Amino acid sequence: MQTAAFTLHITEDGSNLPERFSILLSRYVNGQVVSLDTIVVNQYPFTTEIQLENSSAGLFFLTVLNEKNRAEFIWAPTNDDMRVESNYWSLRNGFMEIANSPENQAYAILINAKNLFDARLEDLEMRLQTISAFDKDYKHQVAAYEDSIEFTIFEFNIQLQALQLQFPNTFTAKTLVGINQIPSRRTNSKWTEEYDGYLSLMNEHFFDFIPLNDPNLLNHYALEDKIVLYLDRYTLKTTDGAEKGIDVIMNAVSKNTNVASFVYNLLLRNFINFKTETLARYLIDRHADGCALSLSVQDLKRLSEMQSLMEGGSLPNVNLLDSKDQPQDLKRYATKNRYTIVYVWISWCVKCQGQSPKIVSLYEKLRKKGLGVFAISLDETKEDWLTALEKLDANYPNVCELVPIKNSSVAPRYGISTTPKIFIIDKEGKIVAKDIYGDALERIVGELFSSK
C-alpha cells in the first residue's frame, strides 16, 4: 500500500452558503462504509490536499455532514493528481466533478453502460413475462425474446471488454468488469449445447467471472449487488431453489477465504433480517466451514434467537396464567408428556379457527399415548379469549398474557409474525418439528408416536 493524495476544491458558487460546514470522507470495504476523515470548510473558495495513507483502490465517498446523499468516486494510489471540485449545494445532493482521473473516467463509462443495460434487460424480461402460453406462436415468441436478451448481454460484455482495453490498469478494468460480466450462450459454444435457455445458464454460471484473486474485490458494493440480483431473478422462488442458489454462490467464492467469509456473512445477515430460518440453517450447516463469523451484536442476538427456534433447539419457556387464573409452566408440563404441541393462536384469526378444532381432536386421540398440548393465546381481551375457549371445549392448558401483541413477551421470543404457529417439542423442550398444520400435523404426530 502507498501514501498518496488528491485535491479537493470547493467553489463559492451559489447563494446562502453556510459560513462553515464539514465534509465526511469515507470508503466502502467489506460490506461497510468506513469513515476516514472530516474536512472542515470555513472559507470560499476552499482548496485542500487530502492524504490517504495505506489505502487500497476502491470506492470512496464525500458527504456533507448530516446529509444523506453521498458523492461517490473511485480512488487508487496511482491516481495522485486527481482533482475533485464541487460547491456546497451540489455536494449536498451528491454531485461533484472529477478531473485528471482515468479511474473515474472508466468508472463513469461503466456506470452509464450498466444503467442502459439494466434498463434494456429489465424491459425485455418484463415483456417476456407477458407472453401468453395460449398464443399459437408462444414458443417462437419466447425464443425471439430470449435471443434478444442474450444479444443484449453479449453486447454489454463487449462493452466491458472494450473498457478493459481502454483503461487497462484501473480498478474498474481489473475488478469491476469481472464482477459485472454476465454469462451468455453466444460466447461459449459448449453452453449453447448444454443449456436450452438463458435462465438455466444464469442459474448455474452467473458468478463465473468474479476475479477472486483480486485483493480489492471487496472494496465496492458490486459483488453484493450481484448476489442480491441473482437470488431475486435467477433462482426458483422455492426453498429448494433458494438452497441451490446458496450452493452456487458459496461454491463460486470458495477458493478465496476472505471473499467466502464476506459472502457467507452477507447471506446470513439477510436471512436473519428476513427471518428465513430454513435458509439460515441451510447456510450454516452446509457452508460455515472456514468462514469467519462477522456479525453485529444485534445480528448475533437475532441469530441466537433464530437458532433456538430451529429444529433441535430449545423452545423458550412460558409461565402464564390459564383461564382459571392458575399458573401453567410449559417446561414442567412438557416433562409429563412424550411429545407436546405448543400452539400459538388468537381468537379472531381465520386460520386459527380452522386449526384449533383439529388440535383438540388430535389431543383427544393421542393424549393417553403421551401427547400434550400447551396453547398460548395472543388475545388482548379476556372476553374474546374465554368465548373462543368455550366453543373449543379444550382440556389442555391454555394461557394468555392479555396484552397488545406489540407488548407480548411470547411473540418476539417465538418469532411470531403470523398465527397460528406450531412447535412440537419433546420431554426436554427440544423442538422436533415446527410450522406444520392440518393433515400434515396429524401425519407427523402419528409418525412420532409410531416410532420407538
Side-chain angles (χ1 to χ4, degrees), residues 208-227:
D208 280 14
F209 305 105
I210 299 174
L212 285 174
N213 294 324
D214 186 343
N216 300 321
L217 181 61
L218 302 181
N219 292 346
H220 195 283
Y221 52 73
L223 178 59
E224 186 173 349
D225 284 354
K226 190 178 184 80
I227 290 169

Side-chain angles (χ1 to χ4, degrees), residues 338-339 366 369-372 444-452:
R338 187 174 170 187
Y339 294 102
L366 294 173
K369 292 185 178 182
L371 177 66
I444 289 175
V445 170
E447 290 174 358
L448 287 173
F449 278 92
S450 65
S451 61
K452 295 183 179 180

Side-chain angles (χ1 to χ4, degrees), residues 15-83:
S15 57
N16 300 319
L17 299 174
E19 293 183 5
R20 177 189 179 101
F21 71 96
S22 296
I23 300 172
L24 179 66
L25 172 67
S26 56
R27 71 169 303 174
Y28 180 97
V29 59
N30 292 334
Q32 297 180 345
V33 176
V34 179
S35 298
L36 300 177
D37 196 7
T38 301
I39 302 103
V40 178
V41 179
N42 51 20
Q43 63 181 35
Y44 302 95
F46 174 88
T47 302
T48 186
E49 188 176 77
I50 298 176
Q51 297 287 332
L52 289 168
E53 297 182 2
N54 298 325
S55 290
S56 56
L59 183 66
F60 288 70
F61 307 96
L62 289 174
T63 313
V64 174
L65 203 62
N66 299 321
E67 297 292 336
K68 294 181 179 180
N69 296 312
R70 297 179 181 139
E72 66 176 43
F73 62 98
I74 300 297
W75 183 85
T78 55
N79 200 181
D80 202 26
D81 57 347
M82 185 175 79
R83 178 181 174 87

Side-chain angles (χ1 to χ4, degrees), residues 127-238:
R127 292 185 185 185
L128 179 60
Q129 298 304 316
T130 63
I131 301 174
S132 172
F134 297 101
D135 288 351
K136 61 181 180 180
D137 59 344
Y138 171 73
K139 290 184 179 180
H140 175 74
Q141 291 185 58
V142 169
Y145 269 111
E146 289 199 348
D147 189 60
S148 296
I149 288 170
E150 292 208 82
F151 183 72
T152 300
I153 293 170
F154 179 69
E155 284 188 319
F156 179 60
N157 286 337
I158 290 178
Q159 288 180 292
L160 295 181
Q161 291 165 10
L163 183 57
Q164 279 183 316
L165 293 173
Q166 186 178 0
F167 300 93
N169 298 315
T170 61
F171 173 77
T172 297
K174 292 179 177 179
T175 306
L176 297 184
V177 164
I179 299 175
N180 282 279
Q181 196 168 352
I182 300 174
S184 167
R185 292 180 298 175
R186 284 176 171 264
T187 59
N188 190 320
S189 58
K190 182 180 178 182
W191 284 346
T192 304
E193 296 173 0
E194 289 183 359
Y195 295 94
D196 292 333
Y198 83 102
L199 285 175
S200 58
L201 174 65
M202 294 285 206
N203 181 259
E204 295 188 5
H205 293 279
F206 197 61
F207 300 96
D208 280 14
F209 305 105
I210 299 174
L212 285 174
N213 294 324
D214 186 343
N216 300 321
L217 181 61
L218 302 181
N219 292 346
H220 195 283
Y221 52 73
L223 178 59
E224 186 173 349
D225 284 354
K226 190 178 184 80
I227 290 169
V228 172
L229 176 64
Y230 173 75
L231 291 173
D232 178 61
R233 189 177 292 181
Y234 301 122
T235 59
L236 289 174
K237 300 301 182 285
T238 63

Side-chain angles (χ1 to χ4, degrees), residues 251-308:
N251 290 337
V253 301
S254 61
K255 295 179 181 179
N256 186 311
T257 302
N258 291 335
V259 178
S261 292
F262 166 78
V263 173
Y264 175 83
N265 284 281
L266 170 67
L267 292 173
L268 193 53
R269 278 195 300 272
N270 276 279
F271 297 152
I272 290 170
N273 291 334
F274 288 103
K275 297 181 179 179
T276 48
E277 300 168 18
T278 302
L279 297 184
R281 180 172 182 173
Y282 183 84
L283 177 66
I284 293 169
D285 289 346
R286 293 291 296 271
H287 299 287
D289 289 348
C291 293
L293 191 62
S294 177
L295 299 175
S296 66
V297 173
Q298 186 177 19
D299 282 338
L300 283 171
K301 182 180 178 182
R302 290 175 179 171
L303 176 61
S304 177
E305 292 171 348
M306 182 181 289
Q307 287 178 312
S308 73

